[in-house]
Amino acid sequence: MENNDNKSKGVIIEVIDDGPLKITGNFILKDLKRDLTDTPEEVYICRCGRSSNMPYCDDSHKK
Ligand code: FES
């Protein structure tokens, strides 16, 4: 049920307190430096700058 609701709303960007941006929905993530071509339905984007797997969150913000 939640997935259907998310699709009807397009892309949802959720700001997680002291953590990443959670992006859910049907979208294309482009990162020209890293040649990312996949289009996941859910990603967590680092906001703290400490991830060793940029642009994704690797939970380094919790340390
Ligand atoms: S927000 Fe999680 S590692 Fe940066």
Side-chain angles (χ1 to χ4, degrees):
M1 186 72 176
E2 184 180 344
N3 283 343
N4 288 337
D5 289 341
N6 286 346
K7 284 182 182 177
S8 68
K9 293 177 182 171
V11 176
I12 297 172
I13 301 174
E14 181 178 350
V15 179
I16 297 175
D17 284 347
D18 299 322
L21 290 179
K22 177 183 178 184
I23 307 176
T24 309
N26 183 13
F27 59 89
I28 296 171
L29 177 64
K30 283 184 147 184
D31 184 335
L32 299 178
K33 291 180 188 171
R34 294 167 187 83
D35 192 26
L36 295 178
T37 55
D38 59 346
T39 54
E41 292 185 9
E42 177 180 295
V43 294
Y44 293 83
I45 301 295
C46 176
R47 290 195 304 145
C48 74
R50 286 182 263 164
S51 174
S52 59
N53 188 31
M54 287 290 205
Y56 304 108
C57 171
D58 69 354
D59 287 339
S60 292
H61 63 272
K62 295 178 181 176
K63 298 175 186 168

